[in-house]
Amino acid sequence: MSSTINSGSLDSVGWDARKQILMASSAVFCSVLWFTGNVLLALFFVLIVLLPFPWILIRFPSLQRKLLFHSWYYKADKPLNNPALWGVNDAINKPIGPLGCWYIPCTCKCATSTSCSCLYDTVVIYCHGSSGSRGNAYRVDLVNYLASLGCGVYTFDYRGYADSPGSSSQINSVQDAKHVLAFARAAHPGKRFVLYGHSMGTGVVCQTAYQLLHEGSPIDSIILEAPFLSIPDVVLKSPVIRFVNSLSLYKDFVWKLSDVFPTKDVIGDLRNVLMLFAENDEVIPVDHVLELQKLSPDSTLHLIPEGGHNFLIHQDSVKKAIEKHLKFKD
């Protein structure tokens, strides 16, 4: 017997093998190309973006302020001069100079009855964070709650925000807070005045309170919701900057920024301070508030596990802490 080998079959088998090898080689090449491309992209990002970024910020203060003061991030589908449309109970639209502002009187309907247990003798000036306006939903929830306790509440927008013309800066925002407070003090003589700040607003509050203290007109009480040590400390502790800072490129530059809100430098001089913070804050690490408490041993810290950066007021324990703090009289 004899066997016959089909040369066509051999050619077919050989081609299939070569095809598989070619496909495998192509896959390896694509993987190497993808990896190399990502490495080059990362190097480009570090060398072209991150490394020169401090120099760019120092040279262009207006860019710094665009990154810090998100006054450009404002979308309103209803006018701010009608607070009822925003869900603010019994509020009065009360512009103060160039600043858009609402005043919310005590909503417990006790007027000035001394027999009422509400906080009719207390006026709160609320300083909001870096984006949006006084009409943000969680800010409305907060001022409505404060008014329900009996407080009078002023909530306003800094210059450059919403319906407050002008430009945003640390100096201007502190001046704005002092301006609103001066108006409130003149309108409500004999009352207790509280500065309440959230996020960037905590920096505004602390700088305002520190200046007032050294001007001889100290504030009665302070509430800081999601406070931070300083803007440079927030920047330096971010994950991306930690890597770059291992090269010691950012450490010196961030302290040359125009607007740093150095709360850690002034909080030790302030009294009757309540700090509110959630451990799961997605913007500011919890280390900030723990360090601030060490710098201000007389302050009270209410630390909760949940609440994020913006929604602490929705937690019952936070509401109770605020009420307790506001009812405390020196």
Side-chain angles (χ1 to χ4, degrees):
M1 295 180 62
S2 62
S3 60
T4 304
I5 298 176
N6 190 327
S7 61
S9 297
L10 286 176
D11 289 343
S12 176
V13 172
W15 169 246
D16 287 342
R18 288 195 297 273
K19 186 177 180 181
Q20 290 179 2
I21 293 171
L22 183 62
M23 290 177 65
S25 299
S26 297
V28 171
F29 176 76
C30 288
S31 297
V32 171
L33 189 64
W34 177 86
F35 177 78
T36 304
N38 279 276
V39 169
L40 291 174
L41 184 62
L43 287 174
F44 174 84
F45 181 71
V46 171
L47 295 175
I48 306 302
V49 179
L50 286 182
L51 297 188
F53 195 56
W55 284 275
I56 296 172
L57 286 181
I58 298 303
R59 190 164 182 81
F60 300 100
S62 60
L63 177 58
Q64 296 177 33
R65 290 176 176 140
K66 287 290 184 184
L67 294 173
L68 175 58
F69 301 95
H70 301 167
S71 53
W72 45 268
Y73 184 69
Y74 168 65
K75 298 178 182 179
D77 56 356
K78 42 190 178 283
L80 280 163
N81 61 7
N82 189 346
L85 295 177
W86 297 82
V88 187
N89 302 333
D90 301 323
I92 303 166
N93 186 55
K94 188 179 284 293
I96 299 175
L99 305 177
C101 182
W102 296 334
Y103 172 63
I104 307 97
C106 164
T107 58
C108 80
K109 310 301 181 185
C110 71
T112 57
S113 171
T114 55
S115 63
C116 181
S117 61
C118 82
L119 291 160
Y120 71 92
D121 64 339
T122 301
V123 175
V124 179
I125 312 299
Y126 176 67
C127 300
H128 67 61
S130 65
S131 63
S133 74
R134 62 191 184 276
N136 284 33
Y138 60 91
R139 294 168 184 162
V140 168
D141 291 342
L142 172 65
V143 297
N144 278 338
Y145 172 69
L146 294 172
S148 74
L149 294 177
C151 302
V153 184
Y154 285 87
T155 178
F156 70 98
D157 281 301
Y158 314 109
R159 272 175 281 179
Y161 283 79
D163 55 350
S164 299
S167 58
S168 304
S169 69
Q170 176 178 317
I171 291 174
N172 285 353
S173 60
V174 171
Q175 288 178 344
D176 293 342
K178 292 174 73 174
H179 186 54
V180 173
L181 177 61
F183 178 92
R185 280 175 161 170
H188 310 279
K191 300 261 181 149
R192 296 174 65 250
F193 292 90
V194 179
L195 288 175
Y196 189 127
H198 170 245
S199 191
M200 186 196 76
T202 64
V204 176
V205 163
C206 287
Q207 295 303 311
T208 301
Y210 183 77
Q211 290 184 19
L212 291 170
L213 176 66
H214 290 274
E215 291 169 4
S217 57
I219 199 72
D220 295 299
S221 185
I222 296 169
I223 300 178
L224 306 175
E225 181 181 340
F228 54 92
L229 291 165
S230 70
I231 295 299
D233 283 297
V234 174
V235 173
L236 291 173
K237 291 188 178 184
S238 66
V240 174
I241 303 302
R242 279 183 186 176
F243 164 70
V244 181
N245 196 46
S246 64
L247 304 175
S248 300
L249 293 170
Y250 271 64
K251 189 173 182 180
D252 295 330
F253 278 99
V254 290
W255 288 105
K256 296 178 182 177
L257 297 175
S258 302
D259 307 276
V260 298
F261 290 110
T263 296
K264 65 181 183 181
D265 293 341
V266 302
I267 196 168
D269 289 345
L270 306 180
R271 295 293 176 266
N272 202 10
V273 178
L274 169 65
M275 292 187 283
L276 307 168
F277 206 93
E279 292 177 340
N280 71 335
D281 190 307
E282 66 277 13
V283 178
I284 301 170
V286 70
D287 297 354
H288 282 247
V289 75
L290 297 177
E291 184 63 27
L292 286 173
Q293 187 185 34
K294 292 178 183 177
L295 295 170
S296 178
D298 293 334
S299 65
T300 300
L301 171 60
H302 185 73
L303 185 63
I304 60 173
E306 303 288 333
H309 188 66
N310 292 328
F311 302 105
L312 276 74
I313 192 56
H314 296 159
Q315 306 295 322
D316 288 339
S317 67
V318 170
K319 292 180 178 179
K320 291 177 182 178
I322 292 172
E323 182 176 8
K324 180 180 178 181
H325 181 75
L326 290 175
K327 286 186 174 180
F328 174 78
K329 306 287 173 53
D330 287 333

